[in-house]
Amino acid sequence: MKKITIIGNPGAGKSTLARQLGDKLNIPVYHMDSLYWKPNWQPSEDTELIQKHDEILKQDSWIIDGNYSATLPKRFADADTIIFLNYPTLRTLYGITKRRIQYRNRTRPDMAEGCHERLNLDFIRWTKDYNKNKAPKMYKRLANLTNKDIHIFKNRKQLTDWLQQKLPN
């Protein structure tokens, strides 16, 4: 595991997992949210995002968490390991709500500076509909990949068990 992509539902813990793996494996961690968002929730242009993303892919090792469709084909092609956190909707709605409370009036570590944590109706709907609208497409994308170590976790217990096997203390 040298080039790891972590994808999945909002609120599933992609960034937390990325940091855990980065610490254990001594691999640099990059968050798509911090690449995409500029201060005060200003989005990057697609070309700028792709350029930043592609520079990271040139490195010998990396962990990148986040979905961002424009970057997935190259990231999937370059990754040796893909982790899909596909948790139940209620679990992820809880995750985004907990994150909003935890980082109230602050910027979380995986976000660009000046982007204080927020939670709006559009994001709640996007999270609520992820398993219906986005997850099936992700499964199809993953099914078409070859020579990749792909791990799909449906709950935290599965992930915890895998981490204990893969990265014993």
Side-chain angles (χ1 to χ4, degrees), residues 8-160:
N9 312 58
K14 296 180 297 293
S15 297
T16 301
L17 175 59
R19 285 191 299 274
Q20 287 175 318
L21 290 175
D23 289 346
K24 288 276 192 182
L25 301 171
N26 197 30
I27 296 175
V29 174
Y30 302 93
H31 308 285
M32 289 304 301
D33 280 342
S34 66
L35 296 175
Y36 178 74
W37 293 107
K38 296 178 182 182
N40 300 313
W41 294 98
Q42 295 302 308
S44 295
E45 296 291 328
D46 280 351
T47 54
E48 181 182 2
L49 175 66
I50 291 169
Q51 181 181 0
K52 289 179 195 176
H53 175 266
D54 292 354
E55 284 300 312
I56 294 167
L57 295 184
K58 293 177 185 176
Q59 298 177 24
D60 290 335
S61 61
W62 44 258
I63 298 170
I64 303 174
D65 79 79
N67 299 310
Y68 292 87
S69 297
T71 63
L72 280 178
K74 285 183 182 177
R75 198 166 356 130
F76 281 174
D78 286 7
D80 57 40
T81 305
I82 300 169
I83 299 171
F84 182 20
L85 303 180
N86 188 218
Y87 295 168
T89 301
L90 283 178
R91 175 68 189 92
T92 60
L93 287 170
Y94 169 79
I96 64 171
T97 303
K98 178 183 171 190
R99 182 171 69 198
R100 170 62 174 94
I101 294 166
Q102 181 179 359
Y103 291 103
R104 183 175 182 267
N105 294 325
R106 295 185 302 148
T107 301
R108 66 181 197 256
D110 54 305
M111 185 58 72
E113 271 308 310
C115 293
H116 294 310
E117 189 59 27
R118 65 182 185 181
L119 186 60
N120 59 40
L121 193 54
D122 286 340
F123 188 60
I124 292 169
R125 283 185 186 130
W126 201 90
T127 302
K128 181 183 81 58
D129 294 339
Y130 183 90
N131 282 332
K132 184 174 105 179
N133 297 332
K134 301 291 182 184
K137 294 173 187 171
M138 198 61 75
Y139 277 105
K140 285 181 184 174
R141 281 182 153 179
L142 295 175
N144 290 323
L145 298 175
T146 58
N147 300 318
K148 305 291 175 190
D149 191 13
I150 299 173
H151 302 277
I152 300 171
F153 300 105
K154 303 266 186 165
N155 58 58
R156 291 202 186 237
K157 181 174 181 350
Q158 290 177 345
L159 174 63
T160 300

